[in-house]
Every structure is written in structure tokens, then in C-alpha cells.
Amino acid sequence: MAKTSGVIKIEGTVEDLTFYKKDGKNFVRKKGGISKERISSDPNFVRTRENNNEFSHSGSSGKILKLALGSLVFKAKDSKLSSRLLQLMSRIKNLDTVSTRGNRQVSVGTAEGKQLLKGFDFNANAPLKSVFFVNYDLDTATGVTTVTDFIPLEQLMYPQGSTHISLQSAVVHLDFATQESEIALSNLVNLPLNLTMSTSVLTPSGVPTGTGIQLFLLFISFYQEVNGVQYSLKNEEYNVLNVVEVI
């Protein structure tokens, strides 16, 4: 490590030299580390290659799940969703007891990993259990979700400024191995935030089937009505998207 004493202070990287500031002083060091070529071929780094391969696979699996959900995931997510999905997929991959180390697959691990997917909140700032305090029934054969005797002002943790909410369900078929997916959305039920009791029936357009798994999700969004027009509340940061069941 060297210390710079010139008049011009540089910060950043120039070729193989890195200039940086620490404790009010300027330093320079030469870039080092192990080359990518050595990691990819040296027998001493076989464990590293295995870990890198599974890490990459887990990250790709998280992206596959987000793509399967379409626009829903963009309406209810937090800033750390990608890293949380990476952790989730890594845990599911670890349940693959068949494949060799370095080649374990999320698609194999989902046999047991379904329970890890169930209950996952895509927006950690608005988990379903902390927002929605009402009983609902899900018929996995038809995908119909029924919310019975719902009183919004009493059974909902709603953000300040909201005047209305919308309820919607979704059924997703997803095969992590082939990356094939299909989503069916229900009707959207819009309700004012008041003390009126109502029952909402969310019926998807169909129930996608095939190899892989089925995910059943519940989506809750908040709105503020101004002059008869409803606007999404604060960039949708309070919206809920939860995996209520996986089969």
C-alpha cells in the first residue's frame, strides 16, 4: 500500500492501480486477487466453482419466479426482494438430495420446498399477516378465494391517506426446470374503507396446470380517491402480495 502526496488527489481506478481516501488521507494500491481463469480451471478451486454454479442457479430461479408473476410483482415489492428471493431459492435448492454438489436444482428441491414458498411476502414492508385480519377460504381446485364478512376499517391495517382498497387473487403454474409458466388473474374487487361488511369472491380466469408447481396468491392494493378518481397510494409501497398456498 502506498500513500499519495501529490497536489492532485485521485480517487478511483486507473489501469491496475486503485486510488482511495481513508481517514482523510489518500492511498494507492495495486489491484490483486485470483484471476478468473485460475478459478475456472485450478483443482484447488473446485468448491468455489460448485458454490458459484449453485449461487448463479438460485439467482436465476428467483428471476424466473418474478417473471411468472408478470406485472403483479412490480405493484408489490420491496427494495431487497431480489436478495430475499436469492436466499429463498438457495434454501429450496439445498433440499435437492439427489443431484451432485454444485448441480443441485431448485426444481428438484421444490418437492419439500413448497412449504418454504408458502407464506412468502413479495413486499416485506407489508406482510399479509400484519395487514389483513380476516378469514378467507381458498378452493385450490377452482382457484376461487372467498373473503367473508370483511369490514375494512376494522380488519385491515391501512396506510394514512388511503380511501379504498382492491382485492385480487392469482393462480400461477410454474416449472423451474423448463422455465414454463402461466398466470390466471381473478376479478378485481374494489372497496371503500368504511364499516360496511361485505363478502368478496375472487374467481380466476382459469387454473393453469402442468408439470411443476401451482402457486395461489393474494394481492391487496391501496388507493386515494380525489374528485372521483382513485390514485395508487405512495408509489404502491404499501401493497401486499403473498403466496397463500403452494401445491
Side-chain angles (χ1 to χ4, degrees):
M1 182 186 299
K3 179 180 176 182
T4 64
S5 58
V7 176
I8 300 176
K9 308 302 182 183
I10 303 173
E11 290 189 30
T13 300
V14 179
E15 294 186 351
D16 61 346
L17 298 177
T18 298
F19 298 82
Y20 65 99
K21 191 171 185 178
K22 182 180 179 181
D23 298 329
K25 299 179 181 179
N26 295 279
F27 297 89
V28 59
R29 64 186 175 190
K30 189 173 182 178
K31 293 173 64 177
I34 303 167
S35 69
K36 182 178 179 181
E37 290 74 17
R38 184 181 175 189
I39 292 177
S40 64
S41 59
D42 193 326
N44 292 323
F45 291 95
V46 62
R47 295 282 89 87
T48 300
R49 291 194 293 273
E50 291 172 349
N51 291 336
N52 288 345
N53 187 53
E54 292 190 349
F55 181 87
S56 176
H57 171 71
S58 297
S60 297
S61 297
K63 292 178 182 178
I64 291 170
L65 176 55
K66 287 195 293 184
L67 287 173
L69 296 178
S71 62
L72 277 184
V73 74
F74 296 106
K75 297 177 181 178
K77 64 184 180 70
D78 60 76
S79 60
K80 296 182 179 180
L81 175 59
S82 294
S83 61
R84 293 194 299 112
L85 278 177
L86 174 61
Q87 293 175 0
L88 174 64
M89 294 302 159
S90 294
R91 292 172 62 194
I92 295 175
K93 172 265 301 175
N94 290 342
L95 295 174
D96 175 0
T97 59
V98 179
S99 305
T100 59
R101 180 172 176 173
N103 296 293
R104 290 176 294 178
Q105 304 288 311
V106 168
S107 59
V108 180
T110 48
E112 296 181 34
K114 292 177 183 178
Q115 292 306 310
L116 297 179
L117 278 167
K118 183 178 179 180
F120 183 79
D121 287 291
F122 287 84
N123 183 5
N125 299 318
L128 179 66
K129 290 183 178 180
S130 299
V131 174
F132 201 53
F133 308 104
V134 61
N135 293 324
Y136 57 89
D137 294 314
L138 169 64
D139 185 339
T140 56
T142 62
V144 174
T145 299
T146 304
V147 182
T148 305
D149 297 338
F150 176 41
I151 305 175
L153 278 182
E154 292 184 349
Q155 298 173 301
L156 189 72
M157 183 67 69
Y158 53 90
Q160 185 177 5
S162 54
T163 61
H164 290 73
I165 67 160
S166 286
L167 303 175
Q168 189 174 33
S169 67
V171 183
V172 177
H173 156 250
L174 174 60
D175 190 327
F176 282 104
T178 65
Q179 301 185 25
E180 294 180 352
S181 66
E182 184 180 354
I183 184 171
L185 300 175
S186 78
N187 52 305
L188 194 69
V189 176
N190 185 262
L191 299 170
L193 284 171
N194 57 27
L195 293 172
T196 301
M197 178 185 293
S198 64
T199 294
S200 300
V201 179
L202 309 174
T203 306
S205 56
V207 181
T209 60
T211 58
I213 59 175
Q214 283 180 319
L215 299 96
F216 300 84
L217 301 101
L218 183 61
F219 172 63
I220 303 174
S221 51
F222 295 90
Y223 301 89
Q224 183 180 75
E225 184 174 276
V226 178
N227 297 328
V229 179
Q230 292 187 25
Y231 299 88
S232 297
L233 200 65
K234 288 196 175 180
N235 297 319
E236 303 174 328
E237 63 182 87
Y238 298 105
N239 289 353
V240 177
L241 181 60
N242 176 272
V243 181
V244 298
E245 186 59 89
V246 185
I247 61 175

